[in-house]
Each structure stands twice: as structure tokens, then as C-alpha cells.
Amino acid sequence: MNGVINVNKPAGWTSQDVCAKLRGRLHIKKIGHTGTLDPMATGVLPVCTGNATRIIEYYDRDHKTYHAEMQLGITTDTLDITGEVLETSDHTGVNENAVREAFKAYTGEVSQIPPKYSALKVNGRRAYELAREGRDFEIKAREVTIYRNEITSMDLERGLIGFYVECSKGTYIRTICDDIGRNLGCGACMTALCRTGSGVFRIEDAADIEDLCDMSDDEIASRVIKPEDTLVMLGRIELNDNRVIAFTNGNSTRSGGYRITEASRFDELYRVYSEGRFLGVAGTENGSLVPHKVFR
């Protein structure tokens, strides 16, 4: 069970709930997810098991895709419909053109302030813990990238807008709803969220957690994806046969001992192979190949 399982997280579960359920079913200690989903959200949650937990850090550059819905005229403390309502406003004056312009403007490099009710750490504690205690604290804005932000449905009579987003890691869809609501002058909050993709993982291939737990060991094993097959942002290197032992022992290799067969899109990090066998992840420094993670 050293690999990645594409789980379809149900609403009402935390991402850690999913990991705990799988940990009990698989009877393994090493398990972790690759990106937190809010409890109300559903959809793709890649879960790494066994030695594959060592590659979680390499998913940082993977694009994420979401389908979401927002409600105009309601502002809450959590920025979604589960929170305490802070303000209600009349949204009847909002027209279709204004909505489309607001969404069109929310693309490219965007500065976002994450919600106070989030899992971000502030002075060593989770932001949502401080928020629940009524503490006064500040979360700094961060730069995220919105590659696509498209409206999929619009019911202005009810104030409901459905939309699709493709974005970088660290983007809060709740904040998109809040920001666009403010731009429209009536406020808004998120009412539904489904992550439809994360890197190579797609919602149509995801397995429900309860179904997974009812599967036999062989059936679960058939759904485990090899770690190296999920690292789409990393390049690929072919290592010379006579450098395999040196690499697995953590030693670097000069430029003549390897060749790059696929460029990297992640800090010049590469999946390293020899005769089709995955050996680990490495970087290049001054022309030499330097091991980062070795898989024996």
C-alpha cells in the first residue's frame, strides 16, 4: 500500500477524518492527504499511504479545479453558508453584465486574504481555533493564480451563481465568493464546493470513502497509484546503470552520468529512473544530480 488513492471526500467530513478512516481500514500508520478540503466541500482528495507520504511536498504546484456556488446578498463570518450571518443585503439591483465583469476581473495573479476560519497557522495555532475563541488577529494577503474563472449558471432572481475555477494551490474559493460579492456591492458567501481535479487526479476516477472501506484488500490495491505516476510537475531523468547504487546511497552524479528526458516545471526537480525503474526524486546543482528522496 505504498502509493496514492484518489478519494471522493463526502460533505461533513474533514480531510483528516478521511485519513483516519483509511488508516483504520488499511492498518497502516503512514498516511496523509495532499490538500485540505473544508468539511462542507466534496470531491478529489488524494491520500498518500506508506512511503508515498514522502512525496506530499511535491504537489505544491499542481493546479486545482473546482465547481462552486455562491449566494448573493449574504455575508458570513466563515465566508460560507455554514457560518454566522453578519449582514444581509438587497441583490436585486445586480445585473448579469456586472456579474460577468466581476468574474472576468478575478483572473490572473490575485491578492487574497485567507478566511479567519481556516486551517492556516497563526503563531503556532490554527486560525479557526483563534477565531472560535474570539481572538483578534490578522492574516496577511497572499498571491494566488486564477487560471480560469467561468460562470456556469446564473439565477439573479434567487441570487445564486454557479462557477468553475482552475487555480493554484492556496486559493480559497470562499474568498473568491466574498471578494466578488463585495465588488458587486451586495456581499456573497459560498453555498457549495466540489473539487473536480488536483494535478493528475480527477473526480470521475475518485472512489467514495465508504465504498473503499467495503472493498477487499486486492480491490483497494488495484486503486493505488504509483507515487511517480502522480508527480506531473516534475521532469524526468534517466540515470546511467553504473550510477544506480551511488544514487540509492545518496551520492551525487556528475553531468555525464545522467540525461534529462523531460523538463521540470517544479524548481528543477526530477523523477529519476534507470531502465524503467523509479529510483527517487533529485535536483540538479552546478551540473550534478543530487538525490532528494530515494525509493529503494
Side-chain angles (χ1 to χ4, degrees):
M1 292 297 178
N2 294 303
V4 191
I5 302 174
N6 183 7
V7 180
N8 185 1
K9 189 189 86 66
W13 289 48
T14 68
S15 300
Q16 288 298 337
D17 288 340
V18 173
C19 289
K21 187 76 171 181
L22 277 178
R23 183 182 291 110
R25 169 61 186 84
L26 300 176
H27 308 293
I28 56 176
K29 292 183 178 180
K30 289 185 177 181
I31 192 166
H33 61 81
T34 68
T36 301
L37 279 176
D38 293 334
M40 73 170 286
T42 63
V44 171
L45 183 71
V47 176
C48 295
T49 62
N51 288 338
T53 54
R54 300 172 62 207
I55 67 169
I56 289 177
E57 64 183 281
Y58 300 127
Y59 291 110
D60 278 354
R61 304 290 176 83
D62 285 351
H63 292 188
K64 309 291 192 297
T65 59
Y66 299 89
H67 277 123
E69 183 186 71
M70 61 190 291
Q71 170 70 62
L72 300 179
I74 299 177
T75 303
T76 72
D77 58 352
T78 60
L79 310 189
D80 62 37
I81 200 64
T82 67
E84 179 183 347
V85 176
L86 302 177
E87 185 179 359
T88 59
S89 303
D90 182 12
H91 60 78
T92 56
V94 176
N95 60 51
E96 180 177 338
N97 184 63
V99 173
R100 294 195 181 280
E101 287 300 316
F103 272 85
K104 183 179 179 181
Y106 209 100
T107 55
E109 298 295 323
V110 174
S111 178
Q112 271 197 344
I113 299 178
K116 288 192 172 182
Y117 284 88
S118 65
L120 289 177
K121 284 194 174 182
V122 178
N123 297 324
R125 295 190 63 190
R126 299 292 184 185
Y128 64 79
E129 294 175 344
L130 299 175
R132 288 170 181 169
E133 293 173 4
R135 302 290 185 88
D136 185 21
F137 62 97
E138 181 182 0
I139 297 180
K140 294 182 179 180
R142 56 169 62 181
E143 295 297 317
V144 299
T145 304
I146 310 297
Y147 303 102
R148 291 174 61 190
N149 190 17
E150 301 175 356
I151 296 170
T152 57
S153 64
M154 193 185 314
D155 182 347
L156 291 182
E157 184 176 344
R158 299 168 61 200
L160 293 175
I161 301 170
F163 60 100
Y164 167 88
V165 176
E166 180 182 353
C167 56
S168 63
K169 181 181 178 180
T171 303
Y172 282 87
I173 311 303
R174 285 181 285 157
T175 301
I176 293 179
C177 297
D178 185 66
D179 287 346
I180 289 179
R182 293 177 187 277
N183 180 281
L184 293 172
C186 62
C189 69
M190 188 179 74
T191 54
L193 180 66
C194 177
R195 183 155 66 195
T196 57
S198 178
V200 300
F201 304 99
R202 293 291 177 265
I203 187 68
E204 54 266 28
D205 303 318
D208 292 340
I209 182 65
E210 297 294 358
D211 290 343
L212 275 169
C213 291
D214 288 338
M215 291 180 185
S216 67
D217 288 350
D218 288 342
E219 288 173 323
I220 295 176
S222 70
R223 303 193 70 95
V224 176
I225 306 169
K226 294 178 181 178
E228 61 269 28
D229 292 342
T230 70
L231 301 177
V232 294
M233 300 299 285
L234 276 61
R236 179 170 176 143
I237 276 178
E238 291 293 333
L239 188 66
N240 291 359
D241 293 347
N242 61 357
R243 296 301 302 169
V244 171
I245 294 177
F247 180 87
T248 56
N249 286 332
N251 297 316
S252 60
T253 298
R254 293 182 178 179
S255 57
Y258 67 91
R259 59 188 176 91
I260 298 175
T261 59
E262 185 180 329
S264 176
R265 293 174 286 165
F266 190 142
D267 296 342
E268 294 301 309
L269 290 172
Y270 300 85
R271 295 162 291 160
V272 180
Y273 291 82
S274 178
E275 296 186 341
R277 182 162 59 100
F278 177 63
L279 302 176
V281 175
T284 54
E285 297 179 14
N286 299 320
S288 292
L289 184 69
V290 181
H292 280 208
K293 307 276 186 180
V294 173
F295 286 77
R296 298 183 182 277

